[in-house]
């Protein structure tokens, strides 16, 4: 398919901007990659909007696919190389007709591979266009976990108490050492990492217990036990992780930190490793930094409606601060990365200070602070100003010096993105004043304050409507009543008796009733009235909050209640994470 013609149609359809299209085509020509693949990697458009345009252009129908409904025997009938190399997946087979989904149907190499497959299987082929996330989900189904572990355990020979004996580096998970006896351990570790990526786990915990080694994954914020292994394997497994992350194998008395990168499912995954000594042995925690999961657009995170409009307006301003606040684990870093991706254009110089760098974004100059050698946020921020930045991202404002430098950077014509630990958007102003920032500087410095929380997303396959209980109805009514007059359409959209959604669990979500997480937001814009209040002295959080509501701010709980009424998230999660 002619990519220039495709991008012309995408621009005409409003799917991508003309500037993004031009840059993607240039970058694709320079790197040898498809501009379309770069479009997906950088999350500059919704993949379903793209596939609709491709379908109209090519004449090939597109199909929305539920991957978990594809039969296992059908997957086994098609070689994994077809999926990995040509982005083609089996969807259905009816007698002599095999239906495939494909991302790039006009790729000559893919066409040749499909002809060979049809001849080999003695079938005729039917084609649908599918989106890349479908191919990725099918690829993950080729990674069985428990079977790999069992095979490794059957072949292993361990003696009680036996122990096995290199910045981010790329490793091969299947690379063996000198002794063949290491192969099963290597297989166990590799299978564990693959399964964590398959389940979109954010963390892996390898924990020594009295009578076993427990492996747990954190999925959608909750820890689940993934595997239980004999205690004799704990030492060799920890040693293997240390080898991968270039840590000292013989140092078990103090914590160590490391990092490594491996290619899994045709993309680079980073693993951040932390060891921790306990009486039973070393515990290891691995943070899984999967760009497929961690790099998301603002709409993917749940930012929509009036809040999304406020953020877009703020990002279009030439200078000023956007601050994100919330407790640990509320997704602040993910939102920061989404903001940077939205600002990431060829003519913009973005420089970041992070602790640590979690995801690498092409086109962004990212730097990791190292306080142990005196390179902290404050000293790094001073150096950034010599790098001719347009956008500065500071991972966190932790102290008075960093706060002062960030404020003055925003005053001198830079966009500054950062996070701050407060419980609400309205608490940011008093917190900055406590950090010795003069109140009169803040109105001309801060463009926007975003407070957020993460809640579970309901499974689309099994969710259904139910009437809200009486006590929940009262909470819903109060939340809708708290919406500003500018949101009268939302107020009128939902009427008592209110219906919310429940998800009992099904095969698609593994019986959990939940599938991923979504953020709820409170976005405070510094209006003229708020600027006057802030500049008048040291206003209380209560006064700022009352005026913000009058000026149109949608409260955090109200945003969550609306998402619950729309069937995106469970109401009980909203009530647990927010207050009135």
């Amino acid at each position: 398919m002619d990519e220039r013609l495709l991008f012309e149609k995408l621009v005409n359809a409003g799917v991508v901007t003309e500037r993004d299209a031009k840059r993607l085509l240039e970058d694709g020509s320079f790197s040898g990659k498809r501009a379309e693949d770069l479009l997906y990697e950088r999350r500059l458009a919704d993949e379903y909007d793209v596939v609709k345009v491709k379908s109209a252009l090519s004449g090939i129908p597109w199909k929305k696919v539920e991957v978990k409904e594809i039969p296992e025997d059908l997957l086994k009938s098609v070689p994994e190389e077809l999926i990995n190399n040509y982005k083609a997946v089996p969807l259905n087979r009816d007698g002599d007709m095999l239906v495939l989904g494909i991302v790039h149907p006009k790729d000559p190499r893919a066409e040749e591979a499909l002809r060979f497959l049809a001849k080999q299987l003695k079938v005729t082929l039917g084609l649908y266009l599918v989106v890349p996330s479908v191919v990725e989900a099918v690829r993950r189904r080729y990674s069985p976990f428990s079977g790999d572990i069992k095979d490794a355990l059957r072949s292993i020979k361990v003696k009680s108490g036996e122990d096995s004996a290199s910045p981010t580096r790329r490793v091969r998970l299947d690379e063996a050492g000198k002794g063949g006896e290491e192969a099963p351990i290597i297989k166990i570790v590799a299978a564990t990492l693959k399964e964590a990526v398959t389940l979109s786990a954010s963390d892996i915990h390898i924990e020594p217990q009295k009578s076993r080694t427990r492996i747990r994954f954190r999925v959608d914020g909750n820890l689940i036990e993934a595997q239980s292994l004999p205690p004799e394997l704990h030492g060799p497994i920890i040693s293997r992780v240390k080898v991968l992350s270039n840590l000292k194998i013989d140092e078990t008395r103090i914590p160590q930190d490391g990092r490594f990168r491996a290619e899994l499912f045709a993309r680079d995954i980073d693993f951040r490793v932390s060891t921790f000594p306990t009486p039973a042995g070393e515990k290891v925690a691995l943070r899984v930094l999967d760009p497929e999961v961690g790099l998301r657009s603002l709409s993917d995170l749940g930012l929509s409606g009036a809040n999304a409009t406020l953020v877009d307006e703020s990002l279009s301003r030439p200078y000023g601060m956007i601050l994100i606040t919330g407790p640990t684990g509320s997704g602040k870093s993910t939102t920061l990365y989404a903001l940077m991706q939205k600002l990431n254009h060829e003519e913009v110089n973005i420089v970041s200070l992070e602790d640590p760098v979690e995801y690498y974004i092409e086109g962004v100059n990212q730097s990791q602070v190292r306080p142990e050698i005196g390179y902290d946020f404050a000293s790094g921020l001073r150096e950034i100003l010599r790098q001719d930045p347009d956008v500065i991202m500071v991972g966190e404002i932790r102290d008075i010096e960093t706060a002062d430098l960030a404020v003055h950077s925003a005053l001198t014509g830079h966009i500054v993105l950062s996070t701050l630990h407060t419980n609400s958007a309205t608490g940011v102003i008093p917190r900055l004043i406590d950090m010795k920032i003069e109140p009169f500087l803040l109105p001309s410095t801060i463009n926007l304050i975003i407070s957020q929380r993460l809640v579970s997303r309901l499974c689309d396959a099994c969710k259904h409507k139910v009437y809200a209980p009486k006590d929940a109805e009262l909470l819903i009514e109060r939340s809708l009543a708290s919406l500003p007059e500018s949101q009268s359409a939302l107020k009128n959209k939902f009427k008592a008796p209110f219906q919310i959604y429940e998800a009992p669990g099904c095969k698609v979500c593994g019986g959990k009733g939940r599938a991923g997480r979504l953020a709820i937001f409170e976005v405070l814009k510094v209006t003229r009235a708020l600027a006057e209040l802030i500049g008048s002295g040291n206003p209380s959080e209560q006064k700022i909050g009352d005026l913000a509501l009058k000026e149109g701010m949608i409260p955090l709980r109200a945003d969550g209640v609306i998402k619950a009424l729309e069937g995106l998230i469970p109401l009980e999660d909203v009530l647990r994470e927010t207050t009135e």
Side-chain angles (χ1 to χ4, degrees):
M1 182 177 293
D2 185 337
E3 286 207 309
R4 291 198 174 275
L5 179 58
L6 170 62
F7 274 87
E8 180 183 324
K9 298 293 185 184
L10 291 174
V11 170
N12 292 340
V15 177
V16 297
T17 65
E18 190 170 351
R19 180 173 62 178
D20 285 341
K22 181 181 177 183
R23 183 183 177 188
L24 288 165
L25 287 167
E26 289 175 351
D27 289 355
S29 176
F30 179 75
S31 66
K33 288 186 174 182
R34 283 190 179 89
E36 184 187 345
D37 289 341
L38 294 175
L39 172 68
Y40 299 130
E41 286 176 15
R42 298 176 189 179
R43 299 179 179 273
L44 294 175
D46 183 278
E47 57 185 3
Y48 282 103
D49 290 339
V50 176
V51 80
K52 290 172 187 175
V53 173
K54 284 177 64 179
S55 178
L57 183 60
S58 66
I60 301 173
W62 70 279
K63 187 177 182 67
K64 198 165 188 176
V65 179
E66 183 51 66
V67 172
K68 294 193 177 181
E69 293 178 1
I70 300 175
E72 195 70 36
D73 58 345
L74 181 60
L75 288 179
K76 291 178 180 177
S77 69
V78 174
E80 188 177 356
E81 289 73 20
L82 189 74
I83 298 168
N84 291 332
N85 298 333
Y86 307 110
K87 295 188 177 180
V89 297
L91 303 179
N92 186 33
R93 181 164 181 173
D94 186 5
D96 293 334
M97 169 67 77
L98 176 62
V99 179
L100 296 173
I102 192 166
V103 175
H104 302 301
K106 301 298 183 180
D107 180 349
R109 291 171 59 249
E111 289 178 335
E112 184 180 345
L114 293 180
R115 283 195 295 269
F116 178 79
L117 178 70
K119 185 177 180 180
Q120 189 180 45
L121 298 180
K122 298 179 180 178
V123 294
T124 56
L125 297 179
L127 288 183
Y128 281 102
L129 288 174
V130 294
V131 295
S133 60
V134 166
V135 177
E136 179 60 32
V138 172
R139 183 186 284 125
R140 290 178 177 177
R141 286 188 59 180
Y142 279 84
S143 177
F145 180 46
S146 295
D148 285 350
I149 296 291
K150 288 176 183 176
D151 289 345
L153 288 175
R154 276 195 293 268
S155 64
I156 201 165
K157 295 178 182 178
V158 295
K159 298 174 184 177
S160 181
E162 184 179 355
D163 217 357
S164 292
S166 155
T168 301
R169 61 187 193 123
R170 183 186 293 272
V171 300
R172 285 184 54 191
L173 296 180
D174 58 350
E175 188 173 34
K178 295 178 180 178
E181 70 278 0
E182 295 178 2
I185 297 297
I186 291 169
K187 188 173 183 179
I188 288 172
V189 173
T192 300
L193 301 182
K194 288 177 182 176
E195 181 69 1
V197 173
T198 299
L199 296 176
S200 299
S202 62
D203 300 88
I204 306 167
H205 294 262
I206 304 174
E207 303 166 312
Q209 306 290 300
K210 186 176 181 180
S211 58
R212 63 186 179 127
T213 290
R214 179 174 66 178
I215 298 177
R216 294 191 292 172
F217 297 154
R218 189 174 294 280
V219 180
D220 296 339
N222 299 312
L223 279 172
I224 57 171
E225 184 165 325
Q227 196 64 236
S228 181
L229 300 171
E232 295 83 8
L233 298 185
H234 187 78
I237 288 172
I238 299 301
S239 292
R240 174 59 182 166
V241 174
K242 285 183 172 182
V243 168
L244 291 173
S245 48
N246 201 27
L247 300 180
K248 295 177 181 177
I249 296 175
D250 57 350
E251 179 55 82
T252 61
R253 302 162 300 170
I254 59 173
Q256 296 185 70
D257 292 313
R259 187 169 181 151
F260 65 91
R261 177 178 299 166
E263 184 176 313
L264 293 172
F265 308 112
R267 65 180 186 274
D268 285 341
I269 311 292
D270 282 352
F271 295 90
R272 201 168 75 226
V273 180
S274 172
T275 69
F276 186 76
T278 76
E282 284 185 287
K283 176 188 182 298
V284 167
L286 297 95
R287 170 63 56 90
V288 184
L289 301 171
D290 183 354
E292 190 79 14
V293 176
L295 292 179
R296 302 168 66 185
S297 68
L298 291 170
S299 59
D300 289 340
L301 291 171
L303 192 72
S304 58
N307 285 340
T309 301
L310 287 174
V311 172
D312 286 341
E313 289 174 356
S314 185
L315 290 174
S316 67
R317 296 183 65 178
Y319 61 89
M321 295 179 73
I322 299 177
L323 295 174
I324 304 168
T325 185
T328 301
S330 60
K332 298 188 295 297
S333 295
T334 305
T335 302
L336 273 182
Y337 277 105
L339 293 174
M340 283 198 292
Q341 288 185 100
K342 201 168 180 68
L343 290 167
N344 188 16
H345 299 293
E346 185 177 354
E347 64 273 21
V348 178
N349 180 21
I350 304 176
V351 188
S352 77
L353 283 173
E354 305 177 46
D355 185 20
V357 174
E358 294 195 357
Y359 301 100
Y360 295 97
I361 304 176
E362 186 177 352
V364 176
N365 303 290
Q366 297 169 267
S367 181
Q368 179 167 323
V369 299
R370 297 188 180 277
E372 68 275 11
I373 59 172
Y375 181 50
D376 55 16
F377 283 122
S379 61
L381 194 44
R382 280 192 294 271
E383 295 302 322
I384 276 182
L385 294 173
R386 300 173 184 172
Q387 291 292 318
D388 184 32
D390 298 299
V391 179
I392 299 169
M393 192 280 261
V394 182
E396 184 183 346
I397 295 176
R398 296 176 179 172
D399 52 50
I400 294 172
E401 189 178 6
T402 305
D404 182 64
L405 287 165
V407 166
H408 283 87
S409 298
L411 283 173
T412 54
H414 305 93
I415 294 175
V416 178
L417 311 174
S418 191
T419 68
L420 197 66
H421 275 291
T422 64
N423 290 324
S424 65
T426 55
V428 167
I429 301 298
R431 175 76 179 116
L432 287 173
I433 293 173
D434 286 344
M435 298 176 84
K436 310 302 180 186
I437 303 300
E438 294 291 345
F440 71 87
L441 293 175
L442 296 176
S444 53
T445 302
I446 299 175
N447 293 343
L448 213 62
I449 302 169
I450 303 170
S451 178
Q452 65 181 74
R453 302 289 189 277
L454 280 180
V455 294
S456 300
R457 183 194 286 269
L458 288 168
C459 172
D460 288 331
C462 62
K463 70 182 181 185
H464 61 272
K465 287 184 177 180
V466 296
Y467 284 103
K470 288 291 182 184
D471 54 346
E473 276 208 351
L474 295 173
L475 286 166
I476 293 170
E477 284 179 348
R478 289 202 296 271
S479 294
L480 293 177
S482 70
L483 289 169
E485 288 303 317
S486 59
Q487 301 300 315
S488 56
L490 270 179
K491 284 185 176 183
N492 299 327
K493 183 178 178 181
F494 305 102
K495 300 289 185 184
F498 298 108
Q499 287 186 304
I500 55 176
Y501 288 73
E502 289 182 350
C506 63
K507 290 182 179 178
V508 173
C509 60
K512 297 183 296 182
R514 307 289 188 267
R517 290 194 288 177
L518 201 67
I520 56 177
F521 295 95
E522 180 177 81
V523 180
L524 189 158
K525 179 184 178 182
V526 179
T527 62
R528 181 170 296 180
L530 273 167
E532 291 177 359
L533 175 64
I534 295 165
S536 65
N538 190 354
S540 67
E541 185 175 340
Q542 182 67 48
K543 283 184 178 180
I544 295 171
D546 291 343
L547 183 54
L549 291 175
K550 289 180 183 177
E551 292 289 293
M553 183 182 76
I554 299 173
L556 190 66
R557 172 165 283 191
D559 185 57
V561 166
I562 291 164
K563 287 184 169 82
L565 292 171
E566 290 174 340
L568 299 173
I569 57 179
L571 182 64
E572 59 266 28
D573 283 20
V574 176
L575 302 182
R576 184 182 67 246
E577 293 291 338
T578 63
T579 58
E580 289 189 276

